Amino acid sequence: MDIGSDAPPLTPAGRRIVDAAEELFYGRGITAAGVDLIAEHSGVTKRTLYNRFGSKDNLVAAYLAERDRRWRSAVRAAVDASDGAEEAVTAPFEALRSWTTTYTRGCAFLNALAELPDPRHPGHRVAAEQKRWLLGLFEELAAAAGCHGPATLATRLFVLHEGAVATAPLSLGTVAAAGDLARALVRAAVRR
């Protein structure tokens, strides 16, 4: 089942299923939320759920793909709102600052990777691709800003970003601190 950008738009029942799956998968965990519970919360039958998604694995992938779409949109908006190429490099940290005010249970993609270690699982593939996309975006933005060693800087920013994501639920100010450190790394890379 293709859940990518070429997938047909969701029907109203499909939308309710994905919304319920997101609430339950993110709030309780993927393995803890079964299809019976998702069907009940979405107001559809299990048959409808299976007719639309084929399997729980495909529903997990659809939930993650929808979340990835929203995250990429938030990051792109932050990049577009940036004041210059240098600031754009750290825009994903600004997007994260805003994102973590709404999503307080950590990163859905990291959570999925922890719960779905098999790289063949469609949900694992979506989560892993989201992380590769962010790393590639950091490199693209660093190169556009004229940063020295854009690939190395991108890896450092990615690791810093993922650390901030993982520790955000602890409310220790790590997201803001990571953004500050990211800006310092970019300034140093631009001045070389």
Side-chain angles (χ1 to χ4, degrees):
M1 169 174 208
D2 180 12
I3 51 83
S5 60
D6 296 333
L10 291 173
T11 63
R15 169 58 45 210
R16 287 195 316 273
I17 294 166
V18 171
D19 290 346
E22 175 164 13
E23 177 185 336
L24 294 167
F25 290 154
Y26 185 70
R28 297 182 184 195
I30 293 168
T31 56
V35 292
D36 289 325
L37 185 61
I38 295 165
E40 178 185 326
H41 277 256
S42 61
V44 302
T45 63
K46 276 181 23 179
R47 180 178 179 169
T48 299
L49 187 151
Y50 282 115
N51 282 343
R52 173 56 181 100
F53 296 98
S55 68
K56 180 181 176 182
D57 290 351
N58 288 337
L59 178 56
V60 169
Y63 142 65
L64 291 169
E66 175 64 18
R67 195 170 186 99
D68 180 39
R69 183 196 60 73
R70 288 195 318 272
W71 168 244
R72 290 183 194 212
S73 178
V75 170
R76 285 186 187 110
V79 169
D80 291 346
S82 297
D83 187 22
E86 187 176 320
E87 188 178 298
V89 181
T90 59
F93 289 89
E94 292 308 311
L96 180 62
R97 186 186 309 243
S98 174
W99 187 268
T100 56
T101 62
T102 302
Y103 301 105
T104 58
R105 194 178 170 271
C107 176
F109 305 105
L110 289 177
N111 296 345
L113 290 169
E115 285 195 68
L116 309 170
D118 183 352
R120 295 170 299 186
H121 190 286
H124 180 103
R125 289 193 304 265
V126 172
E129 176 53 33
Q130 186 276 331
K131 298 303 178 187
R132 285 190 287 274
W133 171 81
L134 185 59
L135 177 61
L137 179 65
F138 276 129
E139 184 172 358
E140 174 187 318
L141 294 171
C147 294
H148 175 73
T152 299
L153 177 60
T155 299
R156 290 176 179 161
L157 292 173
F158 177 75
V159 169
L160 184 60
H161 188 274
E162 294 307 294
V165 169
T167 58
L170 299 174
S171 300
L172 298 173
T174 56
V175 173
D180 293 343
L181 183 53
R183 284 184 287 282
L185 287 170
V186 171
R187 279 192 304 273
V190 168
R191 290 189 181 128
R192 289 184 177 200

